[in-house]
Coordinates of all heavy atoms in Angstrom, one line a residue:
M1 N 100.4 -53.4 -144.6 CA 101.7 -52.7 -144.8 C 102.4 -52.5 -143.5 O 101.8 -52.1 -142.5 CB 101.5 -51.4 -145.6 CG 102.8 -50.7 -145.9 SD 102.8 -49.4 -147.1 CE 101.6 -48.3 -146.4
S2 N 103.7 -52.7 -143.5 CA 104.5 -52.5 -142.2 C 104.7 -51.0 -142.0 O 104.5 -50.2 -142.9 CB 105.8 -53.2 -142.3 OG 106.7 -52.5 -143.2
R3 N 105.2 -50.7 -140.8 CA 105.5 -49.3 -140.5 C 106.6 -48.7 -141.4 O 106.8 -47.5 -141.6 CB 106.0 -49.2 -139.0 CG 104.8 -49.4 -138.1 CD 105.3 -49.3 -136.7 NE 104.1 -49.5 -135.8 CZ 104.2 -49.6 -134.5 NH1 105.4 -49.4 -133.9 NH2 103.2 -49.9 -133.8
K4 N 107.5 -49.6 -141.9 CA 108.6 -49.2 -142.8 C 108.1 -49.1 -144.3 O 108.9 -48.7 -145.1 CB 109.7 -50.3 -142.8 CG 110.4 -50.4 -141.5 CD 111.5 -51.4 -141.6 CE 112.3 -51.6 -140.3 NZ 113.3 -52.6 -140.5
G5 N 106.8 -49.3 -144.5 CA 106.3 -49.2 -145.9 C 106.5 -50.5 -146.7 O 106.4 -50.5 -147.9
Q6 N 106.8 -51.6 -146.0 CA 107.1 -52.9 -146.7 C 105.8 -53.6 -146.9 O 104.9 -53.6 -146.0 CB 108.1 -53.7 -146.0 CG 109.4 -53.0 -145.9 CD 110.4 -53.8 -145.0 OE1 110.0 -54.4 -144.1 NE2 111.7 -53.7 -145.3
V7 N 105.6 -54.3 -148.0 CA 104.4 -55.1 -148.3 C 104.9 -56.6 -148.5 O 105.9 -56.8 -149.2 CB 103.7 -54.6 -149.6 CG1 102.5 -55.5 -149.9 CG2 103.3 -53.1 -149.4
T8 N 104.1 -57.5 -147.9 CA 104.4 -58.9 -148.1 C 103.4 -59.5 -149.1 O 102.2 -59.2 -149.0 CB 104.2 -59.6 -146.7 OG1 105.1 -59.0 -145.8 CG2 104.5 -61.1 -146.9
L9 N 103.9 -60.2 -150.1 CA 103.1 -60.9 -151.0 C 103.0 -62.4 -150.8 O 104.0 -63.0 -150.4 CB 103.6 -60.6 -152.5 CG 103.7 -59.2 -152.9 CD1 104.4 -59.1 -154.3 CD2 102.3 -58.6 -152.9
R10 N 101.8 -63.0 -151.0 CA 101.7 -64.4 -150.8 C 102.5 -65.2 -151.8 O 102.8 -64.7 -152.9 CB 100.2 -64.8 -151.0 CG 99.3 -64.2 -149.9 CD 97.9 -64.7 -150.0 NE 97.3 -64.8 -151.3 CZ 96.5 -63.9 -151.9 NH1 96.2 -62.9 -151.3 NH2 96.1 -64.1 -153.2
K11 N 102.9 -66.4 -151.4 CA 103.8 -67.2 -152.2 C 103.2 -67.5 -153.6 O 103.9 -67.5 -154.6 CB 104.0 -68.6 -151.6 CG 105.0 -68.5 -150.4 CD 105.2 -69.9 -149.8 CE 106.1 -69.9 -148.6 NZ 106.3 -71.2 -148.1
E12 N 101.8 -67.7 -153.7 CA 101.2 -68.0 -155.0 C 101.3 -66.8 -155.9 O 101.4 -67.0 -157.1 CB 99.8 -68.5 -154.8 CG 98.9 -67.6 -154.1 CD 98.8 -67.9 -152.6 OE1 99.7 -68.6 -152.0 OE2 97.9 -67.4 -151.9
L13 N 101.3 -65.6 -155.4 CA 101.4 -64.4 -156.3 C 102.8 -64.3 -156.8 O 103.0 -64.0 -158.0 CB 101.0 -63.1 -155.5 CG 99.6 -63.0 -155.1 CD1 99.4 -61.8 -154.2 CD2 98.7 -63.0 -156.3
L14 N 103.8 -64.6 -155.9 CA 105.2 -64.5 -156.4 C 105.5 -65.6 -157.4 O 106.2 -65.4 -158.4 CB 106.1 -64.6 -155.2 CG 106.0 -63.5 -154.2 CD1 106.8 -63.8 -152.9 CD2 106.5 -62.2 -154.8
A15 N 104.9 -66.8 -157.2 CA 105.1 -67.9 -158.1 C 104.4 -67.5 -159.5 O 105.0 -67.8 -160.5 CB 104.4 -69.2 -157.6
H16 N 103.3 -66.9 -159.5 CA 102.6 -66.5 -160.7 C 103.5 -65.5 -161.5 O 103.5 -65.6 -162.7 CB 101.3 -65.8 -160.4 CG 100.6 -65.2 -161.5 ND1 99.9 -66.0 -162.5 CD2 100.4 -63.9 -162.0 CE1 99.4 -65.2 -163.4 NE2 99.7 -64.0 -163.1
L17 N 104.3 -64.7 -160.8 CA 105.1 -63.7 -161.4 C 106.5 -64.3 -161.8 O 107.3 -63.7 -162.5 CB 105.4 -62.5 -160.5 CG 104.2 -61.6 -160.2 CD1 104.6 -60.6 -159.1 CD2 103.7 -60.9 -161.5
G18 N 106.7 -65.6 -161.4 CA 108.0 -66.2 -161.7 C 109.1 -65.7 -160.8 O 110.3 -65.8 -161.2
I19 N 108.8 -65.2 -159.7 CA 109.9 -64.6 -158.8 C 110.3 -65.7 -157.8 O 109.5 -66.3 -157.1 CB 109.3 -63.4 -158.0 CG1 108.9 -62.3 -159.1 CG2 110.3 -62.9 -157.0 CD1 108.2 -61.1 -158.5
Q20 N 111.6 -65.9 -157.7 CA 112.3 -66.9 -156.8 C 112.8 -66.2 -155.6 O 113.1 -65.0 -155.6 CB 113.4 -67.6 -157.6 CG 113.0 -68.2 -158.8 CD 112.1 -69.4 -158.6 OE1 112.3 -70.2 -157.7 NE2 111.1 -69.6 -159.4
P21 N 112.9 -66.9 -154.5 CA 113.5 -66.3 -153.3 C 114.9 -65.7 -153.6 O 115.7 -66.2 -154.3 CB 113.7 -67.5 -152.3 CG 112.7 -68.5 -152.8 CD 112.6 -68.3 -154.3
G22 N 115.0 -64.4 -153.1 CA 116.3 -63.7 -153.2 C 116.4 -62.9 -154.5 O 117.3 -62.1 -154.7
Q23 N 115.4 -63.1 -155.4 CA 115.4 -62.4 -156.7 C 114.9 -61.0 -156.5 O 114.0 -60.8 -155.7 CB 114.6 -63.2 -157.7 CG 114.7 -62.7 -159.1 CD 113.9 -63.6 -160.1 OE1 113.2 -64.4 -159.7 NE2 114.2 -63.4 -161.4
R24 N 115.4 -60.1 -157.3 CA 114.9 -58.7 -157.2 C 113.6 -58.6 -158.0 O 113.3 -59.3 -159.0 CB 115.9 -57.8 -157.8 CG 117.2 -57.6 -157.0 CD 118.1 -56.5 -157.5 NE 119.1 -56.3 -156.7 CZ 119.1 -55.4 -155.7 NH1 118.0 -54.7 -155.4 NH2 120.2 -55.2 -154.9
I25 N 112.8 -57.6 -157.6 CA 111.5 -57.4 -158.2 C 111.5 -56.0 -158.8 O 111.9 -55.0 -158.1 CB 110.3 -57.5 -157.2 CG1 110.3 -58.9 -156.6 CG2 109.0 -57.1 -157.8 CD1 109.3 -59.0 -155.4
G26 N 111.1 -55.8 -160.0 CA 111.0 -54.5 -160.7 C 109.6 -54.0 -160.5 O 108.6 -54.8 -160.5
V27 N 109.5 -52.7 -160.3 CA 108.2 -52.1 -160.2 C 108.0 -50.9 -161.2 O 108.9 -50.1 -161.3 CB 108.0 -51.5 -158.7 CG1 106.7 -50.9 -158.5 CG2 108.2 -52.6 -157.7
E28 N 106.9 -51.0 -161.9 CA 106.6 -49.9 -162.8 C 105.4 -49.1 -162.3 O 104.4 -49.8 -161.9 CB 106.2 -50.4 -164.2 CG 107.3 -51.2 -164.9 CD 108.5 -50.4 -165.3 OE1 108.3 -49.2 -165.6 OE2 109.7 -50.9 -165.2
V29 N 105.4 -47.8 -162.2 CA 104.3 -47.0 -161.8 C 103.4 -46.7 -163.0 O 103.9 -46.2 -164.0 CB 104.8 -45.7 -161.1 CG1 103.7 -44.8 -160.7 CG2 105.8 -46.0 -160.0
L30 N 102.2 -47.1 -162.9 CA 101.2 -46.9 -163.9 C 100.2 -45.8 -163.5 O 100.0 -45.5 -162.3 CB 100.5 -48.2 -164.2 CG 101.4 -49.4 -164.6 CD1 100.6 -50.7 -164.7 CD2 102.1 -49.1 -165.9
P31 N 99.5 -45.3 -164.5 CA 98.4 -44.3 -164.2 C 97.3 -44.9 -163.3 O 97.1 -46.1 -163.3 CB 97.9 -43.9 -165.6 CG 98.8 -44.4 -166.6 CD 99.6 -45.5 -165.9
G32 N 96.6 -44.1 -162.7 CA 95.4 -44.6 -161.9 C 95.8 -45.2 -160.6 O 95.0 -46.0 -160.1
G33 N 97.0 -44.9 -160.1 CA 97.4 -45.5 -158.8 C 97.7 -47.0 -158.8 O 97.6 -47.7 -157.8
R34 N 98.1 -47.5 -160.0 CA 98.5 -48.9 -160.1 C 100.0 -49.1 -160.3 O 100.7 -48.2 -160.7 CB 97.8 -49.5 -161.4 CG 96.2 -49.4 -161.3 CD 95.6 -50.0 -162.5 NE 96.0 -49.3 -163.7 CZ 96.2 -49.9 -164.9 NH1 96.1 -51.2 -165.0 NH2 96.6 -49.2 -165.9
L35 N 100.4 -50.3 -159.9 CA 101.8 -50.7 -160.0 C 101.8 -52.0 -160.8 O 100.9 -52.8 -160.7 CB 102.4 -50.9 -158.6 CG 102.5 -49.7 -157.7 CD1 103.0 -50.2 -156.3 CD2 103.4 -48.6 -158.2
E36 N 102.9 -52.2 -161.5 CA 103.1 -53.4 -162.2 C 104.4 -54.0 -161.7 O 105.5 -53.4 -161.6 CB 103.3 -53.2 -163.7 CG 103.5 -54.5 -164.5 CD 103.6 -54.2 -166.0 OE1 102.5 -53.8 -166.5 OE2 104.7 -54.3 -166.5
L37 N 104.4 -55.3 -161.2 CA 105.5 -56.0 -160.7 C 106.0 -57.0 -161.7 O 105.2 -57.6 -162.4 CB 105.2 -56.7 -159.4 CG 104.6 -55.9 -158.2 CD1 104.2 -56.8 -157.1 CD2 105.6 -54.9 -157.8
H38 N 107.3 -57.2 -161.8 CA 107.9 -58.2 -162.6 C 109.2 -58.7 -162.0 O 109.9 -58.0 -161.3 CB 108.1 -57.7 -164.0 CG 109.0 -56.5 -164.1 ND1 108.6 -55.2 -164.0 CD2 110.3 -56.5 -164.3 CE1 109.6 -54.4 -164.1 NE2 110.7 -55.1 -164.3
A39 N 109.6 -59.9 -162.3 CA 110.9 -60.5 -161.9 C 112.0 -59.8 -162.7 O 111.9 -59.7 -163.9 CB 110.9 -62.0 -162.1
E40 N 113.0 -59.3 -162.0 CA 114.2 -58.8 -162.8 C 115.1 -59.9 -163.0 O 115.2 -60.9 -162.3 CB 114.9 -57.7 -161.9 CG 114.1 -56.4 -161.9 CD 114.9 -55.3 -161.3 OE1 116.0 -55.5 -160.8 OE2 114.3 -54.2 -161.3
H41 N 115.8 -59.9 -164.2 CA 116.7 -60.9 -164.6 C 118.1 -60.3 -164.6 O 118.3 -59.1 -164.7 CB 116.4 -61.4 -166.0 CG 115.0 -62.0 -166.0 ND1 114.7 -63.3 -165.5 CD2 113.8 -61.6 -166.5 CE1 113.5 -63.5 -165.7 NE2 112.9 -62.5 -166.3
A42 N 119.1 -61.2 -164.4 CA 120.5 -60.8 -164.4 C 120.8 -60.1 -165.7 O 120.4 -60.5 -166.7 CB 121.4 -62.1 -164.2
T43 N 121.6 -59.1 -165.6 CA 121.9 -58.3 -166.8 C 123.4 -58.5 -167.2 O 123.8 -58.1 -168.2 CB 121.7 -56.8 -166.6 OG1 122.4 -56.4 -165.4 CG2 120.2 -56.5 -166.4
G44 N 124.2 -59.1 -166.3 CA 125.6 -59.3 -166.6 C 125.8 -60.5 -167.5 O 124.9 -61.2 -167.8
T45 N 127.1 -60.7 -167.8 CA 127.4 -61.8 -168.6 C 128.3 -62.8 -167.8 O 128.9 -62.4 -166.8 CB 128.3 -61.4 -169.9 OG1 129.5 -60.8 -169.4 CG2 127.5 -60.4 -170.7
I46 N 128.4 -64.0 -168.2 CA 129.2 -64.9 -167.5 C 130.7 -64.5 -167.5 O 131.4 -64.6 -166.6 CB 129.1 -66.4 -168.1 CG1 129.8 -67.4 -167.2 CG2 129.6 -66.5 -169.5 CD1 129.2 -67.7 -165.9
G47 N 131.1 -63.9 -168.6 CA 132.5 -63.3 -168.7 C 132.7 -62.2 -167.7 O 133.8 -62.2 -167.1
G48 N 131.8 -61.4 -167.5 CA 131.9 -60.3 -166.5 C 132.0 -60.9 -165.1 O 132.7 -60.4 -164.3
F49 N 131.2 -61.9 -164.9 CA 131.2 -62.5 -163.5 C 132.6 -63.2 -163.3 O 133.2 -63.0 -162.2 CB 130.1 -63.6 -163.5 CG 130.2 -64.4 -162.2 CD1 129.9 -63.9 -161.0 CD2 130.6 -65.7 -162.3 CE1 129.9 -64.6 -159.8 CE2 130.7 -66.5 -161.1 CZ 130.3 -66.0 -159.9
I50 N 133.1 -63.9 -164.2 CA 134.4 -64.6 -164.1 C 135.5 -63.5 -163.9 O 136.4 -63.7 -163.1 CB 134.6 -65.5 -165.2 CG1 133.7 -66.7 -165.1 CG2 136.1 -66.0 -165.2 CD1 133.7 -67.6 -166.3
G51 N 135.4 -62.4 -164.6 CA 136.3 -61.3 -164.5 C 136.4 -60.7 -163.1 O 137.4 -60.3 -162.7
L52 N 135.2 -60.7 -162.4 CA 135.2 -60.2 -161.1 C 136.0 -61.0 -160.1 O 136.6 -60.5 -159.1 CB 133.8 -60.1 -160.6 CG 132.9 -59.0 -161.2 CD1 131.4 -59.2 -160.6 CD2 133.4 -57.7 -160.8
L53 N 136.1 -62.3 -160.4 CA 136.8 -63.2 -159.6 C 138.3 -63.4 -159.9 O 139.0 -64.0 -159.2 CB 136.1 -64.6 -159.6 CG 134.7 -64.6 -159.2 CD1 134.1 -66.0 -159.4 CD2 134.5 -64.1 -157.8
A54 N 138.7 -62.9 -161.0 CA 140.1 -63.1 -161.5 C 141.1 -62.7 -160.4 O 141.1 -61.6 -159.9 CB 140.3 -62.3 -162.8
G55 N 142.1 -63.6 -160.2 CA 143.1 -63.3 -159.2 C 142.8 -63.3 -157.8 O 143.6 -63.1 -156.9
R56 N 141.6 -63.7 -157.4 CA 141.1 -63.7 -156.0 C 141.3 -65.1 -155.4 O 141.1 -65.2 -154.2 CB 139.7 -63.2 -155.9 CG 139.5 -61.8 -156.3 CD 138.1 -61.3 -155.9 NE 138.0 -59.9 -156.3 CZ 137.0 -59.2 -156.0 NH1 136.0 -59.7 -155.2 NH2 136.9 -58.0 -156.4
S57 N 141.5 -66.1 -156.2 CA 141.6 -67.4 -155.6 C 142.5 -68.2 -156.5 O 142.6 -68.0 -157.7 CB 140.2 -68.1 -155.6 OG 140.3 -69.4 -155.3
S58 N 143.2 -69.2 -155.9 CA 144.0 -70.1 -156.7 C 143.2 -71.3 -157.2 O 143.6 -72.1 -158.0 CB 145.2 -70.6 -155.9 OG 144.7 -71.3 -154.7
H59 N 141.9 -71.4 -156.8 CA 141.0 -72.5 -157.2 C 140.7 -72.3 -158.7 O 140.3 -71.3 -159.1 CB 139.7 -72.5 -156.4 CG 138.7 -73.4 -156.8 ND1 138.8 -74.8 -156.6 CD2 137.5 -73.3 -157.5 CE1 137.8 -75.4 -157.1 NE2 137.0 -74.5 -157.7
R60 N 140.8 -73.4 -159.4 CA 140.4 -73.4 -160.8 C 139.1 -74.3 -160.9 O 139.1 -75.4 -160.5 CB 141.5 -74.0 -161.6 CG 142.7 -73.1 -161.7 CD 143.7 -73.7 -162.7 NE 144.9 -72.9 -162.6 CZ 145.4 -72.2 -163.6 NH1 144.8 -72.3 -164.8 NH2 146.4 -71.5 -163.5
A61 N 138.1 -73.6 -161.4 CA 136.8 -74.3 -161.5 C 136.8 -75.4 -162.5 O 137.5 -75.3 -163.6 CB 135.7 -73.3 -161.9
S62 N 136.2 -76.5 -162.2 CA 136.1 -77.7 -163.1 C 135.0 -77.3 -164.2 O 134.2 -76.4 -164.0 CB 135.7 -78.9 -162.4 OG 134.3 -78.8 -161.9
L63 N 135.0 -78.1 -165.2 CA 134.0 -77.9 -166.3 C 132.6 -78.1 -165.7 O 131.7 -77.4 -166.1 CB 134.3 -78.9 -167.4 CG 133.4 -78.7 -168.7 CD1 133.5 -77.3 -169.2 CD2 133.8 -79.7 -169.7
D64 N 132.5 -79.1 -164.8 CA 131.2 -79.3 -164.2 C 130.7 -78.1 -163.4 O 129.6 -77.7 -163.4 CB 131.2 -80.5 -163.3 CG 131.2 -81.8 -164.1 OD1 130.8 -81.8 -165.3 OD2 131.6 -82.8 -163.5
E65 N 131.7 -77.4 -162.6 CA 131.3 -76.2 -161.9 C 130.9 -75.1 -162.8 O 130.0 -74.3 -162.5 CB 132.5 -75.8 -161.0 CG 132.8 -76.8 -159.8 CD 134.1 -76.5 -159.1 OE1 135.1 -76.2 -159.8 OE2 134.0 -76.4 -157.9
L66 N 131.7 -74.9 -163.9 CA 131.3 -73.8 -164.8 C 130.0 -74.1 -165.5 O 129.2 -73.2 -165.6 CB 132.4 -73.7 -165.9 CG 133.8 -73.2 -165.4 CD1 134.8 -73.3 -166.5 CD2 133.7 -71.8 -164.9
N67 N 129.7 -75.3 -165.9 CA 128.4 -75.7 -166.5 C 127.3 -75.4 -165.5 O 126.2 -74.9 -165.9 CB 128.4 -77.1 -167.0 CG 129.2 -77.3 -168.2 OD1 129.4 -76.3 -169.0 ND2 129.7 -78.5 -168.5
G68 N 127.5 -75.8 -164.2 CA 126.5 -75.5 -163.2 C 126.2 -74.1 -163.0 O 125.1 -73.6 -162.9
A69 N 127.2 -73.2 -163.0 CA 127.1 -71.8 -162.9 C 126.3 -71.2 -164.1 O 125.4 -70.4 -163.9 CB 128.4 -71.1 -162.7
A70 N 126.7 -71.7 -165.2 CA 126.0 -71.2 -166.5 C 124.5 -71.6 -166.5 O 123.7 -70.8 -166.8 CB 126.7 -71.7 -167.7
A71 N 124.3 -72.9 -166.1 CA 122.9 -73.3 -166.1 C 122.0 -72.6 -165.1 O 120.9 -72.3 -165.4 CB 122.9 -74.8 -165.9
S72 N 122.6 -72.3 -164.0 CA 121.8 -71.7 -162.9 C 121.6 -70.2 -163.0 O 120.6 -69.6 -162.6 CB 122.3 -72.0 -161.5 OG 123.6 -71.4 -161.4
G73 N 122.5 -69.5 -163.7 CA 122.5 -68.1 -163.7 C 122.4 -67.4 -165.0 O 121.9 -66.3 -165.1
W74 N 122.8 -68.0 -166.1 CA 122.9 -67.3 -167.4 C 122.3 -68.1 -168.5 O 122.4 -67.7 -169.6 CB 124.4 -67.0 -167.7 CG 124.9 -66.0 -166.8 CD1 124.7 -64.6 -167.0 CD2 125.7 -66.2 -165.6 NE1 125.4 -64.0 -165.9 CE2 125.9 -64.9 -165.1 CE3 126.1 -67.3 -164.9 CZ2 126.6 -64.7 -163.9 CZ3 126.8 -67.0 -163.8 CH2 127.1 -65.8 -163.3
A75 N 121.6 -69.2 -168.3 CA 121.1 -70.0 -169.4 C 120.0 -69.2 -170.1 O 119.1 -68.6 -169.5 CB 120.5 -71.3 -168.8
D76 N 120.1 -69.1 -171.4 CA 119.1 -68.5 -172.3 C 118.9 -67.1 -172.1 O 117.8 -66.5 -172.4 CB 117.7 -69.3 -172.1 CG 117.8 -70.7 -172.5 OD1 118.5 -71.0 -173.5 OD2 117.2 -71.6 -171.9
L77 N 119.8 -66.3 -171.5 CA 119.6 -64.9 -171.4 C 120.3 -64.3 -172.6 O 121.4 -64.6 -173.0 CB 120.3 -64.3 -170.2 CG 119.6 -64.7 -168.8 CD1 120.4 -64.1 -167.7 CD2 118.2 -64.1 -168.8
P78 N 119.6 -63.3 -173.3 CA 120.1 -62.7 -174.5 C 121.4 -61.9 -174.2 O 121.5 -61.4 -173.2 CB 119.0 -61.8 -174.9 CG 118.1 -61.6 -173.8 CD 118.3 -62.8 -172.9
G79 N 122.2 -62.0 -175.2 CA 123.5 -61.2 -175.1 C 124.6 -61.9 -174.3 O 125.6 -61.3 -174.1
D80 N 124.4 -63.1 -173.9 CA 125.3 -63.8 -173.0 C 126.2 -64.8 -173.8 O 126.9 -65.5 -173.2 CB 124.7 -64.4 -171.8 CG 124.2 -63.4 -170.8 OD1 124.7 -62.2 -170.9 OD2 123.5 -63.7 -169.9
A81 N 126.0 -64.9 -175.1 CA 126.8 -65.8 -175.8 C 128.3 -65.4 -175.8 O 128.6 -64.2 -175.9 CB 126.3 -65.9 -177.3
P82 N 129.2 -66.4 -175.7 CA 130.6 -66.0 -175.7 C 131.0 -65.3 -177.0 O 130.5 -65.6 -178.1 CB 131.3 -67.3 -175.6 CG 130.3 -68.4 -175.5 CD 128.9 -67.8 -175.7
K83 N 131.8 -64.3 -176.9 CA 132.3 -63.6 -178.1 C 133.6 -64.2 -178.6 O 134.5 -64.6 -177.9 CB 132.6 -62.1 -177.6 CG 131.4 -61.4 -177.1 CD 131.5 -59.9 -177.3 CE 130.4 -59.1 -176.8 NZ 129.2 -59.5 -176.4
E84 N 133.6 -64.4 -179.9 CA 134.8 -65.1 -180.5 C 135.7 -64.1 -181.2 O 135.3 -63.1 -181.6 CB 134.3 -66.1 -181.5 CG 133.5 -67.2 -180.9 CD 133.1 -68.3 -181.9 OE1 133.7 -68.4 -182.9 OE2 132.1 -68.9 -181.6

């Protein structure tokens, strides 16, 4: 453990947990001095993300750019289906 209280985990442990570089890690405190680690997933919606960018650029994303963003960040997450 570092002087700052930081712990480094081996790549194979992170891979086992499904944690990617830059992804946040959730920690649950359990009885008996144990911790449980898990990969945190995005909680926002694609609509919320696009709303953050509204009016900030004159660039209009192509369908391929939108599909790429959806595939990389919001694919198969519950609650992210477009509302009609």
Side-chain angles (χ1 to χ4, degrees):
M1 180 167 56
S2 74
R3 290 181 183 174
K4 294 181 180 181
Q6 297 172 331
V7 177
T8 302
L9 299 175
R10 295 189 316 263
K11 285 182 183 180
E12 56 269 15
L13 294 175
L14 295 171
H16 175 74
L17 295 171
I19 297 170
Q20 303 294 320
Q23 188 173 14
R24 291 188 173 270
I25 299 173
V27 179
E28 299 293 326
V29 178
L30 302 175
R34 297 180 303 140
L35 299 174
E36 180 178 293
L37 303 176
H38 61 274
E40 288 192 353
H41 299 286
T43 57
T45 64
I46 188 75
F49 171 72
I50 292 171
L52 288 174
L53 301 177
R56 294 188 182 191
S57 172
S58 60
H59 174 74
R60 292 185 184 241
S62 69
L63 186 55
D64 287 337
E65 290 172 313
L66 292 174
N67 285 337
S72 66
W74 289 278
D76 297 322
L77 290 178
D80 287 344
K83 299 202 182 349
E84 295 181 25

